[in-house]
Amino acid sequence: QVHLVESGGGLVQAGGSLRLSCAASGSMFSINAVGWYRQAPGKQRKLVATITSGGIENYADSVKGRFTISRDNAMKMVYLQMNILKPEDTAVYYCNLADRATRYNYWGQGTQVTVSS
């Protein structure tokens, strides 16, 4: 069983930065890919960034060069450093763990990020 808890969201002006954190529980953290997704009001949840157990990163085109995902397997933490934030980055951000053994996706409760223009 995996439990994910996000933190670090908030209100920031365009051009600013935020760092999201996700704390995970459970023994399967280090062997699975983890990532961040976001959902804006009235829209579908979309991938922001993922990082494999081996550290390979993948980003949505809309955030490349501005966001950086990282993980700390010893602490069971996932981070998303967000720079040069834009109003269109406003969304609820969710932490995700994809269990490759069962293909089950675990989700956190989400953290709100609001970027004002």
Side-chain angles (χ1 to χ4, degrees):
Q1 187 70 20
V2 174
H3 188 53
L4 303 171
V5 179
E6 302 97 334
S7 61
L11 173 64
V12 64
Q13 287 188 332
S17 298
L18 281 175
R19 188 193 195 207
L20 304 184
S21 299
C22 174
S25 64
S27 60
M28 63 180 73
F29 178 83
S30 64
I31 63 172
N32 285 300
V34 289
W36 290 93
Y37 290 69
R38 67 187 181 187
Q39 187 167 18
K43 297 188 177 181
Q44 289 187 328
R45 191 173 299 187
K46 293 184 178 180
L47 179 146
V48 176
T50 61
I51 184 168
T52 68
S53 57
I56 298 174
E57 302 165 28
N58 179 57
Y59 297 92
D61 288 343
S62 59
V63 307
K64 282 181 181 177
R66 300 188 297 123
F67 291 12
T68 303
I69 188 171
S70 60
R71 65 188 295 167
D72 183 334
N73 288 335
M75 297 299 292
K76 298 183 182 178
M77 295 290 295
V78 188
Y79 304 100
L80 185 68
Q81 178 66 44
M82 306 186 294
N83 299 325
I84 318 175
L85 282 160
K86 304 176 181 180
E88 50 263 44
D89 295 318
T90 295
V92 177
Y93 283 70
Y94 295 91
C95 183
N96 167 270
L97 183 146
D99 184 349
R100 63 183 184 182
T102 64
R103 298 193 177 185
Y104 184 82
N105 280 287
Y106 293 90
W107 297 95
Q109 83 288 352
T111 185
Q112 176 71 46
V113 172
T114 303
V115 184
S116 63
S117 58

